[in-house]
């Protein structure tokens, strides 16, 4: 059975653990939440009927709610209505899929866009009998996580096998960077089924904040942002600071400042700073709101993005949108977003590679930093706005369904 297309098109998004209305900063709330919310918003502005399905994790949530941006969020009853770590959600995904199948018999979408591997499993279960095409975005791959985390990887044992099965059955895969395409091919999935569409940023929110940069006699400011987990490489930034005199390092991420004392990774980073003699020049800010982030990024002379691995990495794009150059490890999506020697510098991801010389050289050349900042902003406007992302995703929908590939806002 094929859906009957409306002129606007019906788009269902499935994001089982990362709802578009969730508060950011929690252990499983971050870039995927922003991606789903922004893409849904842009598609709704184009006149498409968008419904986002996410798991109910609280009794207080309504069954469904229409957002001010024009898309609907449905909280699916699957498992207990309480927070559950995403790596423990797999037993509840069949229930999620059965619920979608019943829902879509009444409201049949023209295309389903699944976000994360378990969402793909549920979406295919819900769409299979109706013949509705499913587009899959993984956001992160189990093969990469297993390679870098080894025994510390808490993913379900079946994750990689399910990711491969989802990739073979879905109508199209949207990868967020070229490195992900190579990983998908190594999993045995066909390159012909993959489209590359990056994540985006709002350049009106993320732009240079006037007055954020300090005077010429203030310490040079390095900023690094992300969840407080070892793979983000904050310890490497601290070690580099030891070789960069007259500079400070601000680390944004984790819980609110009052709770940092109970955060193991924060304590580890403080110990590293003490060991390298820079404790007085390192500040752990805790969680920084989306509203405050543009000012923080704008205040930096350099943003350091040094993860050991990164599926996409939105921080360099947000920094470039604010006109701030970036030093980033040459991993994942950062290989695409940061143009080495144009908008910043790519450095090897190996821990034993000292980046302090790179940072010193950049700080000693303010004209070069200014040029990198200008070109970074220009690159974001050309490739990484949510308008551009939505246009490209819409074209993927149009290739597998009768959803019209509308460009630009129509409302």
């Amino acid at each position: 059975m094929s859906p009957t297309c409306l002129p606007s098109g019906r788009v269902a998004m499935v994001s089982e653990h990362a709802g578009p209305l969730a508060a950011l900063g929690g252990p499983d709330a971050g870039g995927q939440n922003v991606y789903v919310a922004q893409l849904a918003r842009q598609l709704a502005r184009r006149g498409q009927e968008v419904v986002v399905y996410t798991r109910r994790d609280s009794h207080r949530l309504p069954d469904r709610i229409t957002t001010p941006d024009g898309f609907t969020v449905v909280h699916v009853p699957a498992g207990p209505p309480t927070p559950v770590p995403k790596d423990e959600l797999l037993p509840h995904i069949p229930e999620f899929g059965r619920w979608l199948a019943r829902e879509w018999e009444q409201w049949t979408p023209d295309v389903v866009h699944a976000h994360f591997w378990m969402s793909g499993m549920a979406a295919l279960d819900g769409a299979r009998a109706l013949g509705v095409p499913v587009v899959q975005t993984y956001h992160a791959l189990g093969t990469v996580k297993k390679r870098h985390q080894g025994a510390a990887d808490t993913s379900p044992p079946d994750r990689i096998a399910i990711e491969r099965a989802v990739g073979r059955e879905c109508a199209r895969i949207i990868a967020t960077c070229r490195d992900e395409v190579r990983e998908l091919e190594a999993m045995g999935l066909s390159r012909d089924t993959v489209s590359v569409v990056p994540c985006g940023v709002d350049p009106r929110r993320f732009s240079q904040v006037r007055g954020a940069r300090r005077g010429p006699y203030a310490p040079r400011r390095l900023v690094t942002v992300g969840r407080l987990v070892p793979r983000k490489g904050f310890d490497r930034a601290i070690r580099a600071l030891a070789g960069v005199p007259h500079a400070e390092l601000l680390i944004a991420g984790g819980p609110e400042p009052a709770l940092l004392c109970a955060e193991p990774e924060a304590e580890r980073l403080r110990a590293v700073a003490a060991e390298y003699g820079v404790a007085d020049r390192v500040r752990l800010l805790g969680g920084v709101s989306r509203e405050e982030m543009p000012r923080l990024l704008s205040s930096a002379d350099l943003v350091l993005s040094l993860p050991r691995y990164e599926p996409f990495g939105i921080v360099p794009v947000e920094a470039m949108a604010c006109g701030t150059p970036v030093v980033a490890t040459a991993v994942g999506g950062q290989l695409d977003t940061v143009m080495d020697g144009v908008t910043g510098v790519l450095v090897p991801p190996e821990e034993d590679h000292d980046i302090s010389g790179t940072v010193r050289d950049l700080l000693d050349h303010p004209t070069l930093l200014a040029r990198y900042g200008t070109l970074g902003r220009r690159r974001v406007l050309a490739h990484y706005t949510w308008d551009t992302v939505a246009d490209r995703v819409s074209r993927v929908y149009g290739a597998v369904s009768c959803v019209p590939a509308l460009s630009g806002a129509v409302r």
Side-chain angles (χ1 to χ4, degrees), residues 95 324 392:
E95 181 183 2
T324 304
R392 294 174 65 179

Side-chain angles (χ1 to χ4, degrees), residues 178 198-199 201 203 312 316-317 320-321 333-340 342-344 371-385 388 392:
R178 291 175 296 173
C199 300
V201 67
F312 179 76
V317 181
M320 291 190 298
Q334 296 184 158
L335 287 162
D336 290 354
T337 56
V338 179
M339 294 189 71
D340 189 36
V342 178
T343 68
R371 184 166 80 244
Y372 283 177
T374 298
L375 293 175
R377 172 77 178 175
R378 190 177 300 169
R379 180 164 175 76
V380 168
L381 293 176
H383 300 286
Y384 298 107
T385 68
T388 299
R392 294 174 65 179

